[in-house]
Amino acid sequence: MMARSVQSLAVGKVIGDVVDMFTPSVELSVYYGSLKITNGCKLKPSVVSGKPTVFINNPHQAQGNHFYDLHRSGSTNLYTLVMSDPDAPTPSEPSMKEWLHWVVVDVPEGCDSTRGREVVPYMEPRPPIGIHRYVFTLFQQKGPMVFGGPVLMNTRGDALMFGNSGHEDGETDLPCRAHFNTRNFAAQNGFDLPAAAVFFYAQKEPASKKR
């Protein structure tokens, strides 16, 4: 199952555009309400406007289809979750790639993202033009994050500062979410290759069809 997920990431060019080839070590499950994300699914922005819940499951320790509790598993592994858009502002000219949507650190294995520490607030997808990919990438940490959070730098080497405003279409007074680089982020924080990744597609909805 995890091997098929890598194939889907390669077909969607997530492997190449966002991360290098890797072998998944855990199962990453992303839910918007009761809707579970599958690689390459197409969703309306209105469906993904709220913050998702993300589960990290070790298939070697899970029992059945239920996520095991951290204390029962005995695992001390912690993870960092990154959500980004490599197609901002448009897939044909992604001059602002990657657009950073969310970062959560110190998520315990066997638990969901609410048990972690959000260091970059969730920003809902707002694709202005074309079909965008939204990628969740999971990294295993060497230990708990210290000094207030991870190292966050953009592709130009500038430190990132975050706020809740800003848009993928470039209309922003806080351009700090633009030009994020998942590979650089991993290297700067001492992470190895991803432990897991999943992505979906979304495009702008006609105003009359938004719900």
Side-chain angles (χ1 to χ4, degrees):
M1 182 175 181
M2 290 196 291
R4 289 198 301 271
S5 72
V6 172
Q7 293 176 355
S8 298
L9 293 168
V11 170
K13 297 184 179 180
V14 170
I15 292 177
D17 288 350
V18 180
V19 298
D20 296 323
M21 179 62 72
F22 69 96
T23 300
S25 57
V26 296
E27 293 179 359
L28 179 65
S29 299
V30 180
Y31 287 86
Y32 283 93
S34 61
L35 176 64
K36 183 179 180 180
I37 300 303
T38 58
N39 272 325
C41 65
K42 297 180 180 180
L43 302 174
K44 297 178 179 179
S46 57
V47 173
V48 295
S49 60
K51 185 188 302 183
T53 301
V54 180
F55 294 90
I56 302 170
N57 178 32
N58 187 323
H60 302 294
Q61 291 180 295
Q63 298 180 356
N65 293 324
H66 300 284
F67 292 97
Y68 61 95
D69 182 78
L70 173 67
H71 301 292
R72 290 172 55 197
S73 72
S75 174
T76 58
N77 293 337
L78 296 172
Y79 294 84
T80 288
L81 176 71
V82 176
M83 178 184 177
S84 66
D85 171 8
D87 298 314
T90 69
S92 59
E93 296 184 11
S95 59
M96 301 175 75
K97 71 175 184 182
E98 300 164 40
W99 188 273
L100 184 61
H101 280 265
W102 197 29
V103 177
V104 183
V105 304
D106 294 338
V107 183
E109 184 176 290
C111 298
D112 65 60
S113 49
T114 63
R115 293 282 299 272
R117 181 159 54 95
E118 184 181 79
V119 295
V120 178
Y122 180 76
M123 177 180 285
E124 65 185 270
R126 300 174 185 172
I129 300 174
I131 301 174
H132 289 227
R133 294 164 293 173
Y134 293 91
V135 183
F136 296 88
T137 309
L138 188 72
F139 295 98
Q140 183 173 341
Q141 300 171 192
K142 304 299 184 182
M145 287 294 188
V146 295
F147 304 118
V151 177
L152 295 168
M153 308 285 281
N154 64 19
T155 53
R156 296 187 293 265
D158 302 321
L160 298 177
M161 298 179 65
F162 298 94
N164 289 316
S165 61
H167 305 280
E168 292 170 89
D169 55 12
E171 295 178 3
T172 174
D173 56 356
L174 290 172
C176 48
R177 288 183 185 256
H179 306 294
F180 180 77
N181 186 290
T182 297
R183 287 188 180 90
N184 289 351
F185 171 82
Q188 290 156 354
N189 287 282
F191 300 151
D192 294 325
L193 289 171
V198 65
F199 81 106
F200 66 88
Y201 293 103
Q203 66 182 118
K204 188 175 181 178
E205 297 174 67
S208 60
K209 294 185 179 181
K210 290 185 179 181
R211 299 186 185 279

